[in-house]
Structure formats: structure tokens, C-alpha cells
Amino acid sequence: MLIYLGFSAVAVFLAALALLHSGGVSVAAAAHLIFAVGIVPLIFAAISHFVPVLTRSRAAPRSILLLPLLLQLAGVLTFLAFRGTLPERALYTAASGTLLIALLFASWVIRRARATLGRPHPGWQWYLLAIAFLAAALLLIPAMSWWPQARPQLRLLHLHLNTLGFIGLTALGSLQVLLPTALRAPDPGAAQRLRRQLPFAVGGVLAIALGAAFWPPLSLVGALVLLLVTLQIGRACLIRHGWQGLSADGAAASLFAALVGFALLLIFGSAHAFSLLSGRDAVPAFVVAFLLPLVSGALSELLPVWYRPGRRTPARDRMHAELRRGGALRALLFLSGGILLALGMSDGLWVAAVAMLSFSIALLRSLATARAQNQG
């Protein structure tokens, strides 16, 4: 399931880039294709993988593991509704189904945390609050039709709770564990940082979302708080691993680039809040500068583990090597493409497409390496 969803996310990214290049869909439709079909199911699948590790418990049951497939189905309905292929009521059906699944996931996460022997790793709290932000964003979908006069404000709330709340919290919580794992250098201070930073990260997201919708100066305060959290994470990574260590490993370089991209987008978002940059460029920039390096870096580390679970083997190491090759260059391309898009330059899509095609080739090579090993 995790392997399928990982490849599915990559395919969705490529499809969305192609559709945007061709002008076949609106930016809103392409964004919902990426978020609802590619990212949301993959994040929930990753949560089902990480929560048992964080709570030192058994693997997630099949009933939980299969839920991301239903999320993907809801995502397809959402995309088709935005494209105009399905009526608007399909959007409300998809939102209701996604909300129910999110609540089921939240209940499972809480049960696992409570059943932990000893104190669970604080990463589970980041996942729980990320799901809470998603649930709040989903509740705003029918609210937009109930209060059409407040639709612009509710749409901004929905957008920021999804991107910074659900995706942002999940990413910031995961990166502090995943980056040391990719570098094979555990960070004993990560748990303490996660406990200390969570209230500030949550407060920052809420301030940005509410400020964007109702009072822009508040969003600037929230962006500053969330930027400080992001910079703290980046500083801890640099102190522990150094530029050379981060850039020498393709997976770590991509993950760190996602952190840098997130920080840059908070700055660009603040400029947008005061009409210094166009808001229509923010979502494509978020996808390219943050989501693409995040997903490519995470898959570079996790896909071989999912494909060959259990003990580390030479075959898994070869898969890791294929996926990591060229990761630092791809990270630079993603960041460059995202910056161009944030500045209103559509050429950033071409830069992102080149980097994404490079990663797709690396994925295929890693699978070919694994299959050759199996046949040998």
C-alpha cells in the first residue's frame, strides 16, 4: 500500500505539471489533484507507518492501512468536481468521507498513544493536531455554501489550515526524525524540541490562517513564529550534521531543501499578505519548493524500507543508493523552480518538471535494481 501510494503521488505530481503546462485545468483543480489524490492519502499512510514506531506498538491493522485508498477515491471526486466533470455535490460527498476517515485515524492515533508502555514519542501529537487542522478545513467546505458572503475569508482559512496546518505540521514533525534516520545519525534532542515547539507551531498556523482571512497583521505575527520554529529545526540539523553531511546524501539534501523551501514560502507568503506578491502564485510555489523535495526525499529514504522490510540488507542499500543519486541537484532545482513561481515566473514549472522526471527515473532504476537482485 505504501509503495503504491508513493508511486501514485509521483504520478500525480507529473500529471499536474503536465496539465498546468498544457492549460488543461485551472490552478485550483491542479492543486486539489495534488493535495487530495496524491498528498493526503500518502500522509495518512505514512502516519499509519510511523505511529506504531513512535508508540512502540504493533503494526497498524489492515482496516487502518486500507483507509488511504478511500481517501484517494474521495480525492478523485474532489478533482473531478473542481474540473467541472462532476456536480458540486460530489465535493461535499468527498469532504464528508474524508472527514469521517480523518476522525477514525485520529481515534486510532489516540488509542495507540494511550496504550504505550512508558511515554510515547511526542511526534504522535504533531500528527494528531495535523489531522485536527485537516478536519477543521473540511468543515469549512460546506460552510462556504451556507455563508456565501463570507466565502473569500472561509476559503483562505481552508487553504491555510490545509497547507500549513495539516501538511506543514506533519512535515515539521516528521523531518526532525526522518532526517537523522536518513543520515544514520540519531538525534537525541529531537524529542525535546518537538515537545517544546509544538505549541508555537500550532499557534503560528492559527495566527496565519485567521490573519489571512480577517486581519493581515496577525498573519505576519504567525508567519514570524512559524518561521522561528522552522529556523530552529534547520539550525539543529546544521549543528548536528553540517552542510557537508546534509548535501552529500541525496535524501537528506532533499529533506533539508523542503525545510528551506517552507521557510522561504513563509517569507513570500508574508509579502503576499501585504500585496507585494501575487497570491495566485503561492500554491504552485508551495508545491514545487516544499512538497516536491519533501516527497522525493522521504521516498528516497522510506521506499527501500517499505519494499524490503526487516533487517538492512545489501539489496536495500543498493536501492537507497539509486534513489539518493542526484538528490542534491534535484533539491536545488525544486527550490529554484519554487522561487521562480513565487515571483510570478511560469518557467519554474519547467524547472520542476526536469527535477521530477529525474526522480522518476531514479525510482524506476531502484526498482530495476531490486528486481535484478531478486532474480539473482
Side-chain angles (χ1 to χ4, degrees), residues 255-347:
L255 293 171
F256 191 76
L259 195 65
V260 173
F262 190 75
L264 289 174
L265 289 168
L266 288 171
I267 296 171
F268 285 130
S270 299
H272 153 56
F274 291 93
S275 302
L276 299 177
L277 292 174
S278 173
R280 66 184 298 273
D281 301 318
V283 172
F286 180 87
V287 170
V288 171
F290 174 57
L291 283 184
L292 294 187
L294 176 68
V295 171
S296 62
L299 289 178
S300 295
E301 171 57 27
L302 295 173
L303 186 64
V305 177
W306 295 341
Y307 193 85
R308 292 184 174 276
R311 296 173 58 187
R312 181 179 174 183
T313 63
R316 185 198 288 181
D317 289 342
R318 280 189 285 273
M319 287 188 71
H320 271 135
E322 288 291 346
L323 288 167
R324 282 166 155 79
R325 187 172 295 121
L329 177 59
R330 286 192 293 270
L332 288 175
L333 290 175
F334 285 137
L335 282 177
S336 300
I339 291 171
L340 289 175
L341 288 169
L343 296 175
M345 302 178 190
S346 60
D347 289 343

Side-chain angles (χ1 to χ4, degrees), residues 103-327:
L103 294 176
L104 290 172
F105 246 91
S107 175
W108 173 73
V109 170
I110 292 170
R111 291 198 307 271
R112 282 297 177 92
R114 287 178 175 174
T116 305
L117 293 176
R119 193 176 188 182
H121 191 282
W124 77 272
Q125 296 174 319
W126 288 70
Y127 293 146
L128 180 63
L129 287 168
I131 294 172
F133 277 124
L134 175 64
L138 291 167
L139 288 172
L140 292 171
I141 294 175
M144 292 182 209
S145 63
W146 296 337
W147 295 291
Q149 68 276 14
R151 185 180 182 87
Q153 291 82 9
L154 295 178
R155 186 186 66 81
L156 287 171
L157 275 174
H158 171 81
L159 174 66
H160 290 89
L161 292 177
N162 263 327
T163 54
L164 300 180
F166 176 60
I167 299 175
L169 278 191
T170 302
L172 292 179
S174 299
L175 281 171
Q176 302 196 59
V177 177
L178 193 55
L179 250 173
T181 302
L183 292 169
R184 309 292 184 264
D187 183 357
Q192 183 179 359
R193 281 198 311 275
L194 285 166
R195 289 191 186 95
R196 185 179 66 250
Q197 292 170 345
L198 182 57
F200 295 99
V202 171
V205 170
L206 286 173
I208 292 172
L210 292 170
F214 302 110
W215 192 50
L218 179 61
S219 68
L220 185 61
V221 174
L224 179 60
V225 171
L226 199 55
L227 179 62
L228 288 175
V229 171
T230 307
L231 292 177
Q232 285 177 1
I233 298 171
R235 179 175 179 271
C237 291
L238 287 172
I239 289 175
R240 184 155 189 85
H241 307 295
W243 280 111
Q244 186 174 359
L246 290 168
S247 60
D249 182 278
S254 294
L255 293 171
F256 191 76
L259 195 65
V260 173
F262 190 75
L264 289 174
L265 289 168
L266 288 171
I267 296 171
F268 285 130
S270 299
H272 153 56
F274 291 93
S275 302
L276 299 177
L277 292 174
S278 173
R280 66 184 298 273
D281 301 318
V283 172
F286 180 87
V287 170
V288 171
F290 174 57
L291 283 184
L292 294 187
L294 176 68
V295 171
S296 62
L299 289 178
S300 295
E301 171 57 27
L302 295 173
L303 186 64
V305 177
W306 295 341
Y307 193 85
R308 292 184 174 276
R311 296 173 58 187
R312 181 179 174 183
T313 63
R316 185 198 288 181
D317 289 342
R318 280 189 285 273
M319 287 188 71
H320 271 135
E322 288 291 346
L323 288 167
R324 282 166 155 79
R325 187 172 295 121

Side-chain angles (χ1 to χ4, degrees), residues 77-94:
L77 293 177
T78 301
F79 168 67
L80 293 177
F82 267 90
R83 196 179 184 187
T85 308
L86 292 178
E88 189 177 4
R89 63 177 178 272
L91 184 62
Y92 304 130
T93 301

Side-chain angles (χ1 to χ4, degrees), residues 37-55:
V37 180
I39 294 300
V40 171
L42 181 60
I43 285 179
F44 274 95
I47 290 174
S48 72
H49 170 79
F50 284 121
V51 165
V53 177
L54 298 175
T55 59

